[in-house]
Amino acid sequence: MNLQNFQSIKEQLNQFEHETKKRIELIAVSKKHSIDKIQHLIRAGQKNFGENYAQEGIEKIKSINNPEVSWHYIGPIQSNKASLIGTYFDWIHSIDRLKVYEKIKNQAELIDKKINFLVQVNISGEDTKSGLNISNLDDFLINIDTKSSHLIFRGVMAIPSNTNNEVQLSSEFKLMQTTFDNLKQKFSSVDTLSMGMSNDYLLALGYGATMVRIGSKIFGERA
Ligand SMILES: *Cc1c(COP(=O)(O)O)cnc(C)c1O
């Protein structure tokens, strides 16, 4: 595997951290890529990986079995897979309904595990995408236990519209930035804004992203 893109992304992020004095976390999105490639990246120093599919992700987590690695679940969650996802993943970026939240929280308590979670917000308005409508966010938060020591509320995640239009993307990122800033005021555990992928992470950083999720630019095109 060619690590050139990975190294140059790392340099960009280091540079950005240096200039802004903020921490940026890189999530290497390894869905549909082999365990060999993931191991290669782990040896190059990468510690955070993102997966979209429960079964595929869990197979990789079990097989790699490395306590130094953090696994991020970033895909849609079927409620019958929620407990399983909670058992294996360290971070869950895509909680968008109470039923799934409750199942994961129960599982975290049952096995006495700490899981970090983000609420996925639908900013694109496209109804094919998962995520909570932004106008329902406050209602959702009233119904969750933001003080839980097992399922910890860390912030919000978004996937923007599928477009290259920078004006459109910027307005969506800006809305997320405002939402994130408001949540930080209200909840002391909130410190994470997960947005930005291969084609738009530099733009997302300009709007306060603290985690970027990059797949194809690191691993190449997916099979
Ligand atoms: C696949 C995926 C990514 C990575 O996308 P790339 O364009 O390959 O960087 C990021 N976030 C989510 C939620 C994804 O499903």
Side-chain angles (χ1 to χ4, degrees):
M1 190 185 150
N2 182 346
L3 290 178
Q4 212 170 329
N5 279 350
F6 171 67
Q7 302 294 9
S8 69
I9 292 167
K10 287 297 290 178
E11 273 166 38
Q12 281 175 326
L13 297 182
N14 286 340
Q15 176 80 22
F16 188 85
E17 286 182 321
H18 186 73
E19 284 166 9
T20 61
K21 308 272 178 274
K22 288 198 266 184
R23 281 271 305 136
I24 306 297
E25 206 71 68
L26 169 63
I27 313 304
V29 177
S30 46
K31 64 183 180 209
K32 310 258 191 200
H33 290 289
S34 68
I35 287 172
D36 276 356
K37 281 185 169 180
I38 298 172
Q39 294 284 27
H40 199 77
L41 218 55
I42 293 172
R43 286 193 295 274
Q46 178 62 20
K47 295 263 160 50
N48 289 284
F49 291 87
E51 289 283 336
N52 278 59
Y53 309 99
Q55 197 179 331
E56 176 189 340
I58 289 166
E59 277 171 23
K60 288 171 175 171
I61 294 170
K62 284 183 175 168
S63 153
I64 290 170
N65 189 26
N66 182 338
E68 304 265 288
V69 173
S70 287
W71 293 94
H72 297 244
Y73 189 83
I74 63 174
I77 306 172
Q78 289 172 264
S79 70
N80 65 348
K81 300 271 170 64
S83 307
L84 205 55
I85 289 168
T87 303
Y88 286 96
F89 284 85
D90 305 288
W91 282 76
I92 302 176
H93 292 224
S94 45
I95 290 189
D96 62 359
R97 58 196 200 279
L98 276 178
K99 188 176 176 190
V100 162
Y101 167 82
E102 295 291 351
K103 285 196 170 185
I104 296 173
K105 179 158 173 283
N106 290 341
Q107 184 66 7
E109 287 167 358
L110 190 71
I111 62 177
D112 194 19
K113 181 186 170 193
K114 239 184 206 176
I115 306 168
N116 299 291
F117 86 96
L118 307 175
V119 177
Q120 183 174 350
V121 174
N122 181 344
I123 35 168
S124 72
E126 297 164 12
D127 40 87
T128 50
K129 290 222 174 80
S130 20
L132 199 74
N133 201 304
I134 207 150
S135 59
N136 297 328
L137 184 59
D138 286 343
D139 263 356
F140 181 80
L141 294 175
I142 286 170
N143 287 297
I144 68 167
D145 176 6
T146 51
K147 299 245 169 0
S148 170
S149 55
H150 286 100
L151 186 54
I152 301 161
F153 178 42
R154 300 292 296 269
V156 276
M157 177 272 233
I159 305 172
S161 296
N162 187 10
T163 175
N164 293 323
N165 181 339
E166 276 206 16
V167 176
Q168 175 69 24
L169 289 172
S170 296
S171 83
E172 294 178 7
F173 287 153
K174 175 82 199 146
L175 184 59
M176 284 306 289
Q177 182 175 37
T178 307
T179 303
F180 175 54
D181 287 342
N182 289 335
L183 291 174
K184 269 197 298 192
Q185 304 281 324
K186 286 193 207 150
F187 303 101
S188 59
S189 60
V190 167
D191 60 2
T192 303
L193 174 55
S194 168
M195 65 182 190
M197 322 203 295
S198 290
N199 291 327
D200 57 18
Y201 66 96
L202 291 176
L203 191 65
L205 289 174
Y207 289 94
T210 69
M211 264 186 191
V212 292
R213 310 177 308 267
I214 304 183
S216 42
K217 191 160 181 199
I218 293 175
F219 287 100
E221 290 305 316
R222 288 179 281 275

